Amino acid sequence: MQVANSVILIRPTGFGYDPETAASNTFQRDLGEPDIRLRAAEEFDGLLEALRSSGIGITVLDPLARNAPNAVFPNNWFSTHADGTVVLYPMCTPSRRAERDPDMARVLESEGFKTRQTLDFSGWEHKGMIL
């Protein structure tokens, strides 16, 4: 069984409604809330405190694309595995592709993750092949 002892979180700098992904994401709704980023930041800070007080390791990253509304969901473009494998996934829309951080391998290494291999499937998106 693989159990993480730490998590990577992306600060919700650009969090909000994304019309590019709304058509294929049933969770996307334009609620018309002008303070949605402020609320997301407050919830993020609360989550950080809860994780820290529980002894869970945290790596907080600022999104590469500061206005990326979906950047808080990095699990859509990469995953890490117990054997040291990093998998990069294809993304459907340009707004999601902008979230990728080409420096992620260095960040993972600096946080103690020993990368054995990287499987990069991101090129599939240019063929219309996405997950």
Side-chain angles (χ1 to χ4, degrees), residues 5-118:
N5 60 1
S6 63
V7 295
I8 297 173
L9 299 175
I10 311 295
R11 195 172 306 285
T13 306
F15 181 76
Y17 177 72
D18 183 359
E20 265 189 5
T21 60
S24 63
N25 183 343
T26 59
F27 296 106
Q28 282 274 346
R29 291 186 188 87
D30 186 1
L31 301 176
E33 292 186 45
D35 296 331
I36 193 71
R37 286 187 181 149
L38 177 60
R39 285 187 49 219
E42 290 170 352
E43 288 182 21
F44 183 83
D45 291 342
L47 175 62
L48 288 179
E49 180 57 35
L51 291 171
R52 282 188 184 116
S53 67
S54 297
I56 296 172
I58 306 165
T59 298
V60 177
L61 303 174
D62 288 312
L64 187 63
R66 305 279 297 162
N67 62 345
N70 298 298
V72 297
F73 306 110
N75 60 298
N76 290 318
W77 69 265
F78 84 95
S79 63
T80 60
H81 302 266
D83 68 352
T85 299
V86 175
V87 181
L88 305 175
Y89 299 100
M91 301 298 289
C92 183
T93 64
S95 66
R96 295 305 314 263
R97 294 173 192 163
E99 298 168 23
R100 284 197 191 100
D101 187 342
D103 209 22
M104 182 55 68
R106 185 196 58 75
V107 171
L108 292 173
E109 291 281 336
S110 72
E111 293 295 321
F113 185 83
K114 303 298 179 208
T115 304
R116 186 176 63 85
Q117 69 174 335
T118 299

